mmCIF file of all heavy atoms in Angstrom:
data_model
loop_
_atom_site.group_PDB
_atom_site.id
_atom_site.type_symbol
_atom_site.label_atom_id
_atom_site.label_comp_id
_atom_site.label_asym_id
_atom_site.label_seq_id
_atom_site.Cartn_x
_atom_site.Cartn_y
_atom_site.Cartn_z
ATOM 1 N N ARG A 14 -9.427 -47.716 -11.085
ATOM 2 C CA ARG A 14 -9.091 -48.752 -10.215
ATOM 3 C C ARG A 14 -7.832 -49.440 -10.738
ATOM 4 O O ARG A 14 -6.963 -49.814 -9.996
ATOM 5 C CB ARG A 14 -10.145 -49.804 -9.917
ATOM 6 C CG ARG A 14 -10.021 -50.726 -8.766
ATOM 7 C CD ARG A 14 -11.156 -51.598 -8.647
ATOM 8 N NE ARG A 14 -12.501 -50.928 -8.563
ATOM 9 C CZ ARG A 14 -13.635 -51.550 -8.782
ATOM 10 N NH1 ARG A 14 -13.696 -52.667 -9.185
ATOM 11 N NH2 ARG A 14 -14.784 -50.790 -8.685
ATOM 12 N N ARG A 47 8.854 -8.516 -13.293
ATOM 13 C CA ARG A 47 7.723 -7.612 -13.011
ATOM 14 C C ARG A 47 8.163 -6.405 -12.038
ATOM 15 O O ARG A 47 8.982 -6.439 -11.331
ATOM 16 C CB ARG A 47 6.565 -8.297 -12.130
ATOM 17 C CG ARG A 47 5.315 -7.492 -12.120
ATOM 18 C CD ARG A 47 4.328 -8.025 -11.030
ATOM 19 N NE ARG A 47 3.994 -9.356 -11.364
ATOM 20 C CZ ARG A 47 3.345 -10.119 -10.547
ATOM 21 N NH1 ARG A 47 2.861 -9.749 -9.411
ATOM 22 N NH2 ARG A 47 3.027 -11.530 -10.862
ATOM 23 N N ALA A 71 13.948 8.247 -0.877
ATOM 24 C CA ALA A 71 14.053 9.410 -1.847
ATOM 25 C C ALA A 71 13.699 10.616 -0.958
ATOM 26 O O ALA A 71 13.118 10.641 0.088
ATOM 27 C CB ALA A 71 13.000 9.217 -2.861
ATOM 28 N N TYR A 91 -17.118 22.442 -4.827
ATOM 29 C CA TYR A 91 -16.517 21.357 -5.633
ATOM 30 C C TYR A 91 -16.008 20.090 -4.829
ATOM 31 O O TYR A 91 -15.742 19.178 -5.461
ATOM 32 C CB TYR A 91 -15.321 21.945 -6.454
ATOM 33 C CG TYR A 91 -15.613 23.178 -7.234
ATOM 34 C CD1 TYR A 91 -15.458 24.389 -6.704
ATOM 35 C CD2 TYR A 91 -16.230 23.108 -8.447
ATOM 36 C CE1 TYR A 91 -15.807 25.619 -7.263
ATOM 37 C CE2 TYR A 91 -16.750 24.296 -9.074
ATOM 38 C CZ TYR A 91 -16.535 25.457 -8.580
ATOM 39 O OH TYR A 91 -16.831 26.552 -9.289
ATOM 40 N N PRO A 103 -4.869 21.447 11.535
ATOM 41 C CA PRO A 103 -3.387 21.260 11.895
ATOM 42 C C PRO A 103 -2.566 20.546 10.835
ATOM 43 O O PRO A 103 -3.065 19.582 10.331
ATOM 44 C CB PRO A 103 -3.464 20.333 13.163
ATOM 45 C CG PRO A 103 -4.870 19.797 13.175
ATOM 46 C CD PRO A 103 -5.763 20.664 12.351
ATOM 47 N N PRO A 118 24.848 18.021 -0.294
ATOM 48 C CA PRO A 118 24.747 19.442 -0.095
ATOM 49 C C PRO A 118 23.434 20.083 -0.702
ATOM 50 O O PRO A 118 22.936 19.397 -1.637
ATOM 51 C CB PRO A 118 25.953 19.972 -1.000
ATOM 52 C CG PRO A 118 26.836 18.690 -1.220
ATOM 53 C CD PRO A 118 25.902 17.567 -1.000
ATOM 54 N N ALA A 128 6.015 18.328 1.784
ATOM 55 C CA ALA A 128 5.143 17.242 2.012
ATOM 56 C C ALA A 128 4.252 17.666 3.167
ATOM 57 O O ALA A 128 4.755 18.428 4.111
ATOM 58 C CB ALA A 128 5.751 15.832 2.259
ATOM 59 N N ARG A 130 0.807 16.823 5.822
ATOM 60 C CA ARG A 130 -0.368 15.946 6.409
ATOM 61 C C ARG A 130 -1.315 16.840 7.019
ATOM 62 O O ARG A 130 -0.983 17.519 8.189
ATOM 63 C CB ARG A 130 0.099 14.871 7.421
ATOM 64 C CG ARG A 130 -1.027 14.017 7.789
ATOM 65 C CD ARG A 130 -0.586 13.129 9.019
ATOM 66 N NE ARG A 130 -0.584 13.902 10.192
ATOM 67 C CZ ARG A 130 -0.188 13.402 11.296
ATOM 68 N NH1 ARG A 130 0.191 12.226 11.472
ATOM 69 N NH2 ARG A 130 -0.107 14.207 12.545
ATOM 70 N N ARG A 140 -2.877 13.785 2.714
ATOM 71 C CA ARG A 140 -1.449 13.826 2.585
ATOM 72 C C ARG A 140 -1.152 14.151 1.150
ATOM 73 O O ARG A 140 -1.665 13.600 0.168
ATOM 74 C CB ARG A 140 -0.791 12.475 3.101
ATOM 75 C CG ARG A 140 -1.163 12.061 4.512
ATOM 76 C CD ARG A 140 -0.495 10.804 4.932
ATOM 77 N NE ARG A 140 -0.879 10.455 6.319
ATOM 78 C CZ ARG A 140 -0.433 9.401 6.925
ATOM 79 N NH1 ARG A 140 0.677 8.731 6.494
ATOM 80 N NH2 ARG A 140 -0.852 9.095 8.128
ATOM 81 N N ALA A 150 9.139 14.436 -14.979
ATOM 82 C CA ALA A 150 10.033 14.067 -16.111
ATOM 83 C C ALA A 150 9.265 12.990 -16.950
ATOM 84 O O ALA A 150 9.438 12.988 -18.163
ATOM 85 C CB ALA A 150 11.504 13.533 -15.614
ATOM 86 N N ASP A 167 27.910 5.393 -12.690
ATOM 87 C CA ASP A 167 29.015 4.536 -13.274
ATOM 88 C C ASP A 167 30.016 4.383 -12.138
ATOM 89 O O ASP A 167 30.560 5.246 -11.625
ATOM 90 C CB ASP A 167 29.679 5.281 -14.522
ATOM 91 C CG ASP A 167 30.714 4.366 -15.069
ATOM 92 O OD1 ASP A 167 31.155 3.403 -14.514
ATOM 93 O OD2 ASP A 167 30.971 4.563 -16.258
ATOM 94 N N PRO A 173 26.391 9.444 -13.423
ATOM 95 C CA PRO A 173 25.660 8.672 -14.406
ATOM 96 C C PRO A 173 26.434 8.642 -15.825
ATOM 97 O O PRO A 173 27.038 9.611 -16.045
ATOM 98 C CB PRO A 173 24.362 9.388 -14.579
ATOM 99 C CG PRO A 173 24.158 10.107 -13.382
ATOM 100 C CD PRO A 173 25.624 10.516 -12.805
ATOM 101 N N PRO A 175 26.857 9.388 -19.322
ATOM 102 C CA PRO A 175 26.131 10.475 -20.203
ATOM 103 C C PRO A 175 25.470 9.822 -21.480
ATOM 104 O O PRO A 175 24.385 10.273 -21.755
ATOM 105 C CB PRO A 175 27.243 11.384 -20.586
ATOM 106 C CG PRO A 175 28.448 11.244 -19.602
ATOM 107 C CD PRO A 175 28.305 9.780 -19.125
ATOM 108 N N ALA A 202 17.893 29.420 -2.303
ATOM 109 C CA ALA A 202 18.510 29.454 -1.068
ATOM 110 C C ALA A 202 17.583 29.306 0.053
ATOM 111 O O ALA A 202 17.935 29.342 1.206
ATOM 112 C CB ALA A 202 19.184 30.870 -1.086
ATOM 113 N N ASP A 245 26.641 23.818 2.753
ATOM 114 C CA ASP A 245 26.055 22.703 2.334
ATOM 115 C C ASP A 245 24.593 22.498 3.042
ATOM 116 O O ASP A 245 23.878 21.648 2.566
ATOM 117 C CB ASP A 245 26.894 21.375 2.624
ATOM 118 C CG ASP A 245 28.112 21.280 1.780
ATOM 119 O OD1 ASP A 245 28.091 21.974 0.653
ATOM 120 O OD2 ASP A 245 29.077 20.566 2.104
ATOM 121 N N GLU A 289 -8.505 28.967 -11.759
ATOM 122 C CA GLU A 289 -7.828 28.637 -10.493
ATOM 123 C C GLU A 289 -8.580 29.230 -9.432
ATOM 124 O O GLU A 289 -9.148 30.363 -9.463
ATOM 125 C CB GLU A 289 -6.497 29.335 -10.545
ATOM 126 C CG GLU A 289 -5.425 28.611 -11.147
ATOM 127 C CD GLU A 289 -3.901 28.942 -10.880
ATOM 128 O OE1 GLU A 289 -3.762 29.861 -10.043
ATOM 129 O OE2 GLU A 289 -3.062 28.321 -11.255
ATOM 130 N N ILE A 311 5.939 9.754 9.408
ATOM 131 C CA ILE A 311 4.825 9.951 8.606
ATOM 132 C C ILE A 311 5.270 9.670 7.185
ATOM 133 O O ILE A 311 6.311 10.084 6.631
ATOM 134 C CB ILE A 311 4.337 11.360 8.578
ATOM 135 C CG1 ILE A 311 3.746 11.769 10.001
ATOM 136 C CG2 ILE A 311 3.202 11.417 7.522
ATOM 137 C CD1 ILE A 311 3.243 13.207 10.229
ATOM 138 N N VAL A 317 -3.280 8.914 0.523
ATOM 139 C CA VAL A 317 -4.092 9.025 1.749
ATOM 140 C C VAL A 317 -4.816 10.428 1.677
ATOM 141 O O VAL A 317 -4.314 11.447 1.578
ATOM 142 C CB VAL A 317 -3.157 9.108 3.044
ATOM 143 C CG1 VAL A 317 -3.932 9.489 4.290
ATOM 144 C CG2 VAL A 317 -2.379 7.848 3.236
ATOM 145 N N THR A 361 25.860 -5.677 13.884
ATOM 146 C CA THR A 361 26.552 -7.002 14.145
ATOM 147 C C THR A 361 28.067 -6.783 13.710
ATOM 148 O O THR A 361 28.707 -7.692 13.947
ATOM 149 C CB THR A 361 25.839 -8.136 13.333
ATOM 150 O OG1 THR A 361 25.814 -7.769 12.011
ATOM 151 C CG2 THR A 361 24.460 -8.375 13.755
#
Side-chain angles (χ1 to χ4, degrees):
Chain A
R14 199 176 303 158
R47 190 190 303 168
Y91 307 96
R130 184 193 71 183
R140 301 188 187 185
D167 183 337
D245 288 343
E289 278 197 353
I311 297 174
V317 174
T361 59

